[in-house]
């Protein structure tokens, strides 16, 4: 299990990057001990809203495996919407690793960052579980218009995403061990 932390289109955030590296190293160990599953290789990228949209598009296209112009347009629209709405996202990669994108501008304190990081690392652990990657790939291909999934598969995916989110939210208390006073909002 390797971890790396970097920035994308985020000049002048040196101290934020150093804090992120320190917290990521500690959070990976903490989440690995307390969440069932296997921690994959993790790449954490600190970026802004625009950079986040770019990286989401690239990750979705790589995950879907094929792309035409229509799929690229759908991916771009979805990524822009997601970048506006979320603070961070975890995306599995075809090689089994996980990309965690964090909007640095939406995390003013290390405590906020720690809560989000723990949440996304729980998702990384979930991606290693049996059948999860295949389900996410199938849903991504459907969202991009490459290959349709049945309504039953779509409903099952939504139900399981809700369960995964509940599990991730329930583990956010672990951030308290990284940064005293870190509380999930």
């Amino acid at each position: 299990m390797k971890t790396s932390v970097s920035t994308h289109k985020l000049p002048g955030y040196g101290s934020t990057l150093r804090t992120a590296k320190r917290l990521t190293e500690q959070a990976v160990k903490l989440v690995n001990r307390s969440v069932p599953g296997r921690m994959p290789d993790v790449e954490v990228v600190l970026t802004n809203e625009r950079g986040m949209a770019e990286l989401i598009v690239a990750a979705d296209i790589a995950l879907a495996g094929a792309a035409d112009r229509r799929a690229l347009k759908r991916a771009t629209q979805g990524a822009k919407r997601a970048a506006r709405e979320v603070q961070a996202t975890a995306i599995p990669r075809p090689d089994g690793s996980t990309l965690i994108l964090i909007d640095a501008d939406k995390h003013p304190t290390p405590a906020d960052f720690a809560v989000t990081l723990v949440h996304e690392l729980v998702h990384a652990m979930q991606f290693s579980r049996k059948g999860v990657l295949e389900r996410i790939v199938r849903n991504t291909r459907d969202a991009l218009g490459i290959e349709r999934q049945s309504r039953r598969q779509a409903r099952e995916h939504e139900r399981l995403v809700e369960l995964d989110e509940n599990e991730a939210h329930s583990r956010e208390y672990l951030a308290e061990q990284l940064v005293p006073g870190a509380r999930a909002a």
Side-chain angles (χ1 to χ4, degrees), residues 85-101:
E85 295 172 357
V86 300
Q87 296 180 359
T89 187
I91 303 169
R93 290 180 166 160
D95 66 358
S97 65
T98 299
L99 174 65
I100 297 177
L101 304 173

Side-chain angles (χ1 to χ4, degrees), residues 28-73:
V28 165
K29 292 174 186 172
L30 190 63
V31 171
N32 198 21
R33 282 194 311 260
S34 59
V35 176
R38 180 187 59 81
M39 182 64 76
D41 293 343
V42 176
E43 180 183 359
V44 177
V45 179
L46 302 173
T47 188
N48 55 23
E49 189 175 305
R50 181 175 289 155
M52 194 169 185
E54 281 178 28
L55 294 172
I56 290 172
V57 168
D60 281 351
I61 293 299
L63 190 62
D68 57 3
R69 235 179 16 224
R70 233 179 44 228
L72 186 59
K73 184 177 179 184

Side-chain angles (χ1 to χ4, degrees), residues 107-125:
H107 295 87
T109 66
D112 295 331
F113 180 79
V115 170
T116 299
L117 183 62
V118 166
H119 181 98
E120 299 305 330
L121 286 170
V122 170
H123 287 313
M125 293 287 281

